[in-house]
Amino acid sequence: MSLEQLEKLRTQLDEINFDILRLLNARAGVVEEIGQVKRLQGIEAFDPEREKQMLDLLVKENPGPFDDNTIRYLFKQIFQASLGLQEEQEKKPLLVSRKRRQEDTVVTIGNVRFGGGAPVVVAGPCSVENERQMELVGQGLQQQGIQVMRGGAYKPRTSPYDFQGLGEEGLKLLRKTSDRYGMLAISEIVSPSDVEMALDYVDVIQIGARNMQNFELLKVVGAVKKPVLLKRGLSATIEEFLYAAEYIMSRGNDQVILCERGIRTYEKATRNTLDISAVPILKQESHLPVLVDITHSTGRKDIMEPIARAALAVGADGIMVEVHPEPSVALSDAKQQLNIPQFETLMNALRNAKYLPSIPAVTAR
Ligand code: PEP
Ligand code: MN
């Protein structure tokens, strides 16, 4: 064999080495993704059964000249190194965690800042019903300097016979009204296939309590460039709530606002039980802004003011409250929505007690 031939074979070997290197790292990328999925699902990183399967398959397909034991040995080394990668990953705190990011996340949209110090009030009807209703609420909210208007267009109702919302038509009406009165618009989306369409109408996508663990929906809103308000599930622990937010963040969307909206307990005096301690815990454990929904957590108008005070006193970055021009005829949540004068009284009380700043002169958009 000439020296020239040797040189050629060495070059060939180098190229194969590079191929192996590239493939090893591509494999590591897939391993990291698997690790992430396993971590989110709470599955153990090491799976001896799966490792055995992979080795058996490799041995079965082994064309030689390496004998089966050598193949087993080599691939075991690769598996070992991959497991090391997953374990490294596991040591990293979650993206939602305060350990991962010390500073508060401030979700900024126009001149509205969720988590920026001054509390944000999100108000509006439970459901978007018609133009006149939206117009009346819009006027009332504008007079109170409200910067973010809510209104449900897709309503996850307990009974299939109840009003289900106006759908896209509702989103259009919400957009029209919030534009007219210089407010941002927030609305709940319940289906992954509606997310893209909703981007044209809303400034914040709401994920409702019933969908907090709709992982496919979380993944879709995690992949868009639009802030997401995530409500705590009816019987979700704080840990599960944070993992749901992690689903969104892990897909690249870091504009997440958490919303405590009460949990289900044996207590019947309120619609849900507001877990007030969740607010400082969420603020401590994560860097995300936290709102409190004072309407769905209580289902009672008579305690809204003290509940709002409590929420803001324990560090909530804002509150959500349902307001309707004529609650008694509302198509959803008729019992719990405030009318416009009641809302004014609430806002005045919170301002007088310095829980909220005085009415800002500027509008949101
Ligand atoms: C809502 O805010 O319109 C709503 C349905 O609330 P939740 O998802 O918290 O029940
Ligand atoms: Mn409601």
Side-chain angles (χ1 to χ4, degrees), residues 150 155 188 206 208-210 231 261 293 296 320 322:
R150 62 153 286 146
K155 299 303 298 178
E188 176 171 355
Q206 179 170 320
R210 287 154 197 82
K231 294 189 122 189
R261 47 79 73 208
D293 177 340
H296 295 95
M320 177 182 275
E322 284 185 346

Side-chain angles (χ1 to χ4, degrees), residues 43-334:
I43 304 170
E44 198 62 39
F46 180 56
D47 180 350
E49 195 51 42
R50 167 79 184 137
E51 191 167 308
K52 187 181 173 304
Q53 267 174 12
M54 287 194 292
L55 286 174
D56 289 347
L57 197 63
L58 286 161
V59 165
K60 195 171 148 240
E61 296 291 320
N62 178 25
F66 281 128
D67 65 36
D68 291 353
N69 277 340
T70 309
I71 289 296
R72 274 184 200 280
Y73 174 77
L74 288 174
F75 273 91
K76 258 193 165 304
Q77 299 302 306
I78 296 173
F79 295 169
Q80 200 64 39
S82 304
L83 196 61
L85 264 184
Q86 283 188 355
E87 279 166 0
E88 261 325 292
Q89 242 188 339
E90 256 168 41
K91 279 190 225 135
K92 258 197 193 169
L94 297 182
L95 293 165
V96 294
S97 169
R98 185 67 84 179
K99 290 193 196 107
R100 192 74 173 264
R101 182 188 151 97
Q102 274 87 51
E103 323 84 73
D104 285 340
T105 285
V106 179
V107 175
T108 306
I109 315 160
N111 54 21
V112 177
R113 287 158 55 83
F114 290 90
V120 176
V121 177
V122 178
C126 182
S127 303
V128 177
E129 298 171 7
N130 56 62
E131 187 141 16
R132 187 177 140 71
Q133 168 230 21
M134 292 302 280
E135 187 61 25
L136 291 172
V137 183
Q139 278 172 19
L141 299 185
Q142 191 196 37
Q143 272 170 17
Q144 292 302 309
I146 298 307
Q147 296 178 298
V148 191
M149 186 179 197
R150 62 153 286 146
Y154 296 90
K155 299 303 298 178
R157 305 302 300 280
T158 301
S159 163
Y161 306 115
D162 286 339
F163 177 60
Q164 302 286 307
L166 298 181
E168 189 172 352
E169 216 35 57
L171 293 180
K172 278 187 190 158
L173 267 178
L174 173 66
R175 180 77 270 164
K176 191 171 158 190
T177 319
S178 56
D179 276 347
R180 176 169 304 150
Y181 294 102
M183 290 180 277
L184 299 177
I186 171 167
S187 200
E188 176 171 355
I189 297 302
V190 297
S191 160
S193 58
D194 286 336
V195 171
E196 187 72 28
M197 171 275 292
L199 300 178
D200 292 340
Y201 303 111
V202 302
D203 301 295
V204 182
I205 295 173
Q206 179 170 320
I207 301 296
R210 287 154 197 82
N211 275 316
M212 189 205 83
Q213 282 190 320
N214 181 338
F215 299 119
E216 293 311 310
L217 183 59
L218 297 179
K219 286 180 201 167
V220 172
V221 297
V224 297
K225 285 190 171 34
K226 190 70 92 174
V228 176
L229 180 134
L230 176 67
K231 294 189 122 189
R232 180 176 179 182
L234 275 70
S235 32
T237 63
I238 291 174
E239 189 184 27
E240 287 163 341
F241 189 19
L242 288 173
Y243 269 112
E246 185 76 9
Y247 258 94
I248 301 171
M249 288 196 71
S250 68
R251 297 279 156 155
N253 190 347
D254 57 3
Q255 303 289 287
V256 180
I257 304 158
L258 302 172
C259 182
E260 161 63 38
R261 47 79 73 208
I263 49 175
R264 183 160 285 185
T265 69
Y266 52 80
E267 183 53 69
K268 289 192 287 193
T270 47
R271 178 171 170 180
N272 290 287
T273 298
L274 175 61
D275 182 6
I276 197 77
S277 51
V279 178
I281 293 171
L282 290 168
K283 294 292 297 177
Q284 219 164 283
E285 306 232 322
S286 98
H287 47 80
L288 297 173
V290 179
L291 298 197
V292 170
D293 177 340
I294 60 171
T295 300
H296 295 95
S297 57
T298 59
R300 290 178 62 142
K301 298 186 205 192
D302 57 339
I303 57 168
M304 266 183 206
E305 189 203 321
I307 292 301
R309 284 171 177 254
L312 297 168
V314 293
D317 297 296
I319 53 172
M320 177 182 275
V321 53
E322 284 185 346
V323 184
H324 191 286
E326 229 182 308
S328 62
V329 296
L331 297 179
S332 58
D333 286 350

